[in-house]
Amino acid sequence: MFKTLAPADPTELAGKRAIVTGGSRGIGAAITQRLLDAGATVVTTARGITDETPKGATFIPGDISTLDGVRAFTEAALAELGGVDIVVNNAAAARVHLGGIATIPDDEWVDALNLNYLSAVRVNNALLPALHESGAGSVIVNISSGVAVTPGPQLSHYGAAKAALNNYTKSLAAELAPAGIRVTAIMPGNVLTPGADVIRQNFADAAGVALADITAGIPLGRPGDPRDIAEAVAFLVSDRAQWITGTALTVDGGEIPVL
């Protein structure tokens, strides 16, 4: 169970303008709420709003799996905020193919790259002029996945897209460092979200085990809560992480080293 934390400092990100993609539920909603709690003004997007979507954020519906969708959203977000200081690329989706790599249709490889990798590239490219205008101290955080470094055939298309995102993160960090703009990634492990629950259920059904068995081996004794990832984002976008860039932080309860 996630340990209740002390309230966030409501002044830490006061005056900061943040954009979070995929913020309607799960990890994205937790990130959006955590940035709001720290005093940031937040715009978020997804295809549709849910009961989980933080009420304090401005929600702009959109589909950022396409270049046109990214352009429409980023233009609307910048018009709302007047600029941007923090960008969190969280939008993602995956579908399990238990039959392995050869059973993944070509269009799903393309879809995986568009949403899980290229959406971040396109969003960042669209927002770079505004980030440069904001100046040193601006931050980009790309939400990757532990699957990027623990590949499996059933999610190969998703893992390949996230591995590309890690590589891109490091390259972009090197390019933007002279401007004082930091770029990092976070690789979540098994976090309890609606989308991830479906994936875990697929694996549990295929293995003939209970759903809880899929996360039973996590060294810290529990699956992740979306707030675990949100806390990592809150750190990386703050001045507390001012000398951190170009890295991919694993937040998984210790699971990856024992796989």
Side-chain angles (χ1 to χ4, degrees):
M1 180 179 294
F2 182 83
K3 181 180 178 181
T4 302
L5 302 175
D9 177 356
T11 67
E12 183 170 38
L13 298 178
K16 298 293 186 180
R17 301 157 297 179
I19 291 174
V20 180
T21 67
S24 65
R25 64 177 189 169
I27 290 173
I31 292 169
T32 298
Q33 187 61 59
R34 183 61 177 80
L35 298 183
L36 289 168
D37 291 344
T41 302
V42 186
V43 169
T44 189
T45 189
R47 287 188 174 94
I49 201 167
T50 76
D51 291 341
E52 288 186 53
T53 309
K55 303 299 187 290
T58 297
F59 182 80
I60 300 174
D63 177 6
I64 62 166
S65 66
T66 69
L67 181 57
D68 287 344
V70 167
R71 286 172 174 164
F73 165 65
T74 54
E75 288 175 7
L78 288 175
E80 175 71 23
L81 293 171
V84 66
D85 308 287
I86 297 168
V87 179
V88 182
N89 290 295
N90 170 73
R95 182 176 159 196
V96 172
H97 287 272
L98 296 172
I101 293 172
T103 66
I104 302 173
D106 184 76
D107 60 345
E108 285 199 34
W109 284 95
V110 175
D111 290 345
L113 288 170
N114 274 324
L115 182 57
N116 300 299
Y117 169 48
L118 289 176
S119 67
V121 175
R122 292 162 176 163
V123 166
N124 292 339
N125 283 345
L127 295 177
L128 276 177
L131 287 166
H132 279 290
E133 186 175 333
S134 294
S138 299
V139 188
I140 297 170
V141 179
N142 299 319
I143 306 301
S144 182
S145 170
V147 178
V149 294
T150 57
Q154 301 91 343
L155 284 169
S156 181
H157 52 328
Y158 177 70
K162 291 302 190 180
L165 184 62
N166 287 357
N167 185 291
Y168 160 78
T169 296
K170 200 163 190 69
S171 296
L172 187 63
E175 182 171 296
L176 297 183
I181 300 171
R182 298 187 294 105
V183 187
T184 59
I186 292 176
M187 297 191 294
N190 268 298
V191 178
L192 298 179
T193 68
D197 287 346
V198 171
I199 292 173
R200 282 187 290 271
Q201 189 65 63
N202 287 336
F203 281 121
D205 291 344
V209 300
L211 179 60
D213 292 339
I214 300 298
T215 56
I218 296 174
L220 282 183
R222 66 169 175 87
D225 183 287
R227 291 170 291 181
D228 290 308
I229 310 306
E231 288 296 329
V233 171
F235 169 68
L236 288 174
V237 303
S238 74
D239 288 341
R240 291 172 288 148
Q242 61 189 278
W243 209 48
I244 299 175
T245 196
T247 191
L249 174 65
T250 301
V251 185
D252 70 341
E255 185 174 16
I256 287 179
V258 300
L259 288 175

